[in-house]
Amino acid sequence: MNNFNGIYNFVSGPLVWLAFIIFIGGSIYRIRNLIVLVNKKERYIYTYMSLKYSLRSIMHWIIPFATVNWRKRPLMTITTFIFHAGLVIMPFFVSAHVVMFHNAWGFSWPSLPESFTDTVTLLVIICSIIFLIRRLVLREVKFLTDASDFGVLLITAAPFITGFLAYHNVGSYHFWVILHILSGEIMLVAIPFTKLSHMLYAVFTRAYIGSEFGKVRHARDW
Amino acid sequence: MALPYIEYEKNIIDQGLETGTERLTKERIAKVVDKVIGGETGARLKAYVDTCVHCGLCSDACHMYLSTKRDPKLTPSAKVKRTMSVILAKKGNVSPAFIKKASEIASTECNLCKRCVQYCPFGIDIAYVMSVVRRICHLCGVTPLYIQDTAHSHSVTQNQMWVKEDEWIDTLQWQEEDSREEIPDCRIPLDKEGADFMYSVIGPEPKFLAQLLYQTAIIFNAAGLNWTMPSFPGWDNSDMAMFTGDSEIMGRNKRFHYEAAQRLKVKKIVMGECGHAFRAAYDMGNRWVSWAMPPVPMVHAIEFYYDLLKSGKIKVKEKYKKSVTLHDPCNTIRGRGLHEKARYVINELCENFIEMHPNREHNYCCNAGGGVINCGPPFKKKRVSTNRIKAQQCADTGAEILITPCHNCHSGMEDIIGDYGVDMHVKFINDIMYEVMEKPGLE
């Protein structure tokens, strides 16, 4: 038990700080690099940028079924949106997270009912399995898939799998909680330095092509 | 009726690729990659390559993938994986044989039509990535023979088809003379300073499609327009150098084109029914020479025909009777949004217009554009085989006439409807307008 406490305190204390520092620092570094590169070599991009068309493009693509391709592949669309919403939004509203935040900082916000977050967690795990099956079964996706793509999928699914097991007390609660925290930290650290960086860059690529399509090409990009 | 799948030989020998590869060394490849990746490209390439998560959602965008029983090697992202991803991962340490294959993929397995951009959730511009691959292959000296020949022609003659200056002028005068048999005072005014607009065409028009010049003369004369064509280089708006990756020649072609208009002091340029020329003049060539947008106002034929009909300068005598369908060319539709204007024009000219599906910005590519048809006979079978979906789409309309307001599309569509046995004829808008309009000076 003492051993668990020691590890728990470490992963939920200093490691959290470290993970967030690397995540935030790394993200700023990656975005800064991109902008520096634009300024250095492709300044002309600004000539074609348009806030209106950037937003037009982004809005179409972040709304389920608002684009032709989202409508063409309903299963993939539903999977993608549940997965990403679960991944990005839900961690802020899991009651255990809110309680921990309150204990550490003395303030909190409303959390979602546990039965709801539990269901969403399960859905995210199911979505991860669908992604995995796509990579293994669909020929066009299999051809594109590298070993790192499985790694990235595992990194994102792990916090949900471990969280789910911990919440349901499968085996040792402490074991799963520690793994849960650790896997969350690994994911944060991985965001700026792996394919997960699409979280940082997607808004820029979308805004740029949205601007080109709106301002220059006068055509829809969805 | 489902059309058959046509098999094609996978090992295609192209003399340009063979000879270029024989001369190529690994040192030269490394130097070229360093120049292009280290020097010419920047944030866009980096963001695109780093952001792609290999989801495969771009697959359904590609006519080649859809036409080949879903060959996973032919999805847009797969083409990047087979070329640019390897070049980047190996930091340019690739073999001449690899560059040969990359050149074939970039030049004949991607039309740069950008349909996949509309299917990628991140808006990754795969056409741009493939253009960079072509650029690398060009600087390595490994490009398909036939298209390289057109680039050479641009370099030497400032037109695509080795048309000599006297031949150009002679062709225009010959067409003018012929047109005067129909309308006695018909003119093709050369070098008329201060005309309202300069009309520019692609090299193949004087070379083997001279009737288009004739018909255009009749249309412009009937509309009573104040127009001109240059007798000197700059008359050709086409740009195959853009598709070989020879950006320097591309930029020079655009200079000739726009400077011809400036020399003639015209108010604007009207270009014929060509798609890639429009892309070169509106999107790519102008940017290479640092013009954010065309330095002289420039409109495509579709837009110009729209204006002529809308303003009543051209009146329709009797609408075209046969059923027609429309192929939306990538460069003027996805590249300039002229789809509604094209429909207005066709509905004004024709009685029975049948849409093909999908259409407008989502139309399937012709598989000829992007320089693919210009890679010539060695790749013809492959080009036809990898566009069954387009032939199917056309056949499904049941229309008698296929209107394609783009030269590359036009030739490519003739090949596919021919080889798949679709009962259709391909026409330009120009052909139909000439046929159905009122000709006031007619005797």
Side-chain angles (χ1 to χ4, degrees):
Chain A
M1 199 58 213
N2 264 344
N3 241 347
F4 267 134
N5 275 340
I7 298 171
Y8 179 83
N9 287 337
F10 180 66
V11 296
S12 65
L15 265 194
V16 176
W17 281 105
L18 191 65
F20 270 99
I21 288 167
I22 296 175
F23 164 58
I24 294 168
S27 299
I28 293 171
Y29 171 78
R30 288 296 305 273
I31 292 170
R32 180 196 156 275
N33 272 6
L34 193 71
I35 293 169
V36 166
L37 202 54
V38 170
N39 289 340
K40 199 173 139 201
K41 289 166 82 181
E42 287 170 309
R43 282 198 72 87
Y44 77 88
I45 281 178
Y46 296 121
T47 313
Y48 303 101
M49 289 306 286
S50 142
L51 182 64
K52 177 180 146 195
Y53 292 121
S54 295
L55 293 175
R56 181 179 83 160
S57 181
I58 292 166
M59 287 314 287
H60 272 94
W61 284 93
I62 61 167
I63 297 171
F65 302 105
T67 70
V68 168
N69 210 13
W70 288 145
R71 287 193 288 274
K72 260 179 113 75
R73 306 225 190 182
L75 176 67
M76 181 59 177
T77 303
I78 292 166
T79 308
T80 302
F81 278 91
I82 291 177
F83 180 81
H84 284 89
L87 201 65
V88 179
I89 304 167
M90 213 195 51
F92 293 101
F93 299 102
V94 173
S95 59
H97 292 181
V98 177
V99 168
M100 280 182 77
F101 204 89
H102 187 259
N103 291 344
W105 297 90
F107 68 95
S108 67
W109 54 88
S111 61
L112 289 164
E114 288 193 0
S115 60
F116 179 80
T117 52
D118 191 42
T119 311
V120 175
T121 303
L122 189 62
L123 283 174
V124 170
I125 295 168
I126 293 169
C127 291
S128 308
I129 295 168
I130 295 174
F131 283 149
L132 179 67
I133 293 172
R134 275 186 96 243
R135 289 216 179 276
L136 294 172
V137 174
L138 292 186
R139 286 166 70 223
E140 76 272 24
V141 188
K142 195 176 168 187
F143 183 83
L144 298 173
T145 300
D146 297 328
S148 65
D149 293 316
F150 292 115
V152 165
L153 186 58
L154 182 68
I155 288 173
T156 39
F160 289 84
I161 298 169
T162 51
F164 187 78
L165 293 172
Y167 177 72
H168 290 280
N169 289 311
V170 179
S172 160
Y173 171 78
H174 285 95
F175 174 75
W176 290 120
V177 157
I178 288 168
L179 269 192
H180 174 66
I181 299 172
L182 206 54
S183 60
E185 288 158 355
I186 290 171
M187 184 175 80
L188 285 176
V189 170
I191 288 172
F193 305 108
T194 64
K195 283 279 181 196
L196 293 179
S197 62
H198 70 268
M199 174 181 153
L200 309 171
Y201 281 0
V203 67
F204 294 101
T205 53
R206 199 68 265 163
Y208 169 64
I209 216 72
S211 298
E212 286 274 6
F213 268 72
K215 206 169 160 182
V216 181
R217 303 176 153 261
H218 308 283
R220 295 170 298 172
D221 62 329
W222 58 88
Chain B
M1 187 193 72
L3 297 174
Y5 287 90
I6 300 175
E7 290 301 316
Y8 68 96
E9 171 61 40
K10 297 284 190 304
N11 290 318
I12 296 169
I13 306 291
D14 177 280
Q15 216 44 58
L17 296 179
E18 296 297 323
T19 313
T21 308
E22 276 166 29
R23 291 180 191 147
L24 189 58
T25 60
K26 285 196 88 166
E27 291 70 39
R28 181 165 171 199
I29 300 172
K31 228 169 119 183
V32 165
V33 170
D34 186 52
K35 174 182 157 72
V36 176
I37 304 298
E40 293 180 5
T41 65
R44 278 192 299 165
L45 184 69
K46 178 156 182 54
Y48 291 153
V49 175
D50 285 357
T51 305
C52 175
V53 292
H54 305 153
C55 68
L57 280 176
C58 53
S59 312
D60 280 345
C62 188
H63 52 286
M64 296 199 191
Y65 168 72
L66 296 172
S67 296
T68 51
K69 298 182 184 162
R70 302 184 163 256
D71 182 349
K73 285 200 189 74
L74 290 176
T75 69
S77 186
K79 294 168 200 171
V80 175
K81 187 187 168 85
R82 293 159 67 208
T83 56
M84 186 54 86
S85 301
V86 181
I87 293 172
L88 291 175
K90 297 195 170 175
K91 297 190 167 61
N93 186 19
V94 293
S95 67
F98 176 86
I99 292 293
K100 179 168 105 175
K101 191 68 200 164
S103 184
E104 188 189 337
I105 295 166
S107 308
T108 72
E109 293 177 15
C110 175
N111 300 86
L112 314 178
C113 79
K114 301 207 191 220
R115 191 171 191 258
C116 47
V117 178
Q118 291 178 295
Y119 285 73
C120 172
F122 305 131
I124 293 174
D125 188 350
I126 287 176
Y128 167 72
V129 180
M130 298 317 286
S131 302
V132 178
V133 176
R134 289 187 187 191
R135 173 79 175 149
I136 289 171
C137 296
H138 158 71
L139 291 171
C140 285
V142 182
T143 44
L145 182 72
Y146 280 78
I147 191 167
Q148 186 56 50
D149 179 70
T150 61
H152 286 328
S153 174
H154 278 300
S155 168
V156 176
T157 65
Q158 289 82 53
N159 71 70
Q160 194 198 122
M161 291 271 133
W162 301 101
V163 178
K164 293 179 196 151
E165 202 159 318
D166 58 333
E167 289 172 350
W168 163 244
I169 296 167
D170 199 46
T171 305
L172 293 178
Q173 291 181 339
W174 159 45
Q175 290 308 311
E176 181 183 71
E177 202 175 309
D178 278 5
S179 71
R180 289 167 87 93
E181 284 176 20
E182 192 172 351
I183 298 181
D185 58 353
C186 195
R187 297 279 336 263
I188 297 182
L190 293 186
D191 301 342
K192 183 177 171 188
E193 249 187 42
D196 287 343
F197 67 93
M198 170 181 112
Y199 184 64
S200 64
V201 296
I202 63 168
E205 290 207 20
K207 196 80 180 181
F208 49 77
L209 292 163
Q211 84 278 6
L212 286 174
L213 293 163
Y214 170 101
Q215 289 168 186
T216 302
I218 298 279
I219 292 170
F220 289 175
N221 277 272
L225 304 175
N226 178 16
W227 63 297
T228 188
M229 292 183 89
S231 67
F232 47 87
W235 58 264
D236 182 358
N237 51 30
S238 76
D239 212 323
M240 279 303 137
M242 165 174 74
F243 288 144
T244 59
D246 193 344
S247 312
E248 289 80 2
I249 297 292
M250 166 182 73
R252 205 180 68 162
N253 288 340
K254 291 315 112 192
R255 275 193 191 283
F256 272 105
H257 184 229
Y258 282 119
E259 284 172 6
Q262 285 166 334
R263 193 169 141 191
L264 293 173
K265 301 186 174 65
V266 292
K267 296 188 189 79
K268 70 175 173 184
I269 298 171
V270 175
M271 62 164 63
E273 288 174 65
C274 180
H276 94 273
F278 186 82
R279 179 199 195 109
Y282 181 74
D283 185 13
M284 293 185 67
N286 54 315
R287 292 186 187 194
W288 178 267
V289 275
S290 303
W291 286 316
M293 295 305 277
V296 176
M298 191 263 307
V299 295
H300 187 264
I302 296 173
E303 196 170 353
F304 194 65
Y305 295 153
Y306 170 87
D307 290 340
L308 290 181
L309 289 164
K310 192 91 182 168
S311 63
K313 284 184 179 144
I314 290 290
K315 292 191 179 62
V316 175
K317 200 168 154 197
E318 196 179 359
K319 281 192 180 185
Y320 195 68
K321 291 270 185 294
K322 289 182 182 166
S323 56
V324 302
T325 186
L326 170 69
H327 164 72
D328 290 286
C330 65
N331 289 317
T332 47
I333 306 305
R334 205 174 294 119
R336 183 57 184 82
L338 296 179
H339 39 280
E340 297 310 334
K341 285 188 174 174
R343 278 161 181 75
Y344 175 87
V345 168
I346 287 167
N347 280 314
E348 284 296 302
L349 299 176
C350 307
E351 234 171 52
N352 185 5
F353 169 49
I354 305 164
E355 284 281 7
M356 60 172 77
H357 297 278
N359 54 47
R360 295 176 170 82
E361 297 104 319
H362 286 273
N363 190 32
Y364 292 125
C365 170
C366 64
N367 208 15
V372 173
I373 194 169
N374 309 79
C375 293
F379 300 97
K380 189 202 164 191
K381 191 85 185 278
K382 178 177 181 178
R383 172 165 57 78
V384 170
S385 301
T386 51
N387 209 10
R388 177 185 167 276
I389 190 114
K390 183 85 233 175
Q392 184 72 60
Q393 189 194 17
C394 294
D396 288 345
T397 64
E400 295 161 277
I401 301 294
L402 171 59
I403 300 176
T404 58
C406 167
H407 280 284
N408 274 338
C409 297
H410 194 98
S411 311
M413 300 292 241
E414 275 182 340
D415 288 339
I416 58 167
I417 62 172
D419 286 15
Y420 286 97
V422 182
D423 189 19
M424 262 183 174
H425 288 285
V426 190
K427 280 186 186 290
F428 290 105
I429 297 175
N430 187 297
D431 296 322
I432 295 179
M433 184 176 266
Y434 165 77
E435 205 175 315
V436 302
M437 69 182 198
E438 279 182 11
K439 294 167 190 158
L442 196 71
E443 287 207 343

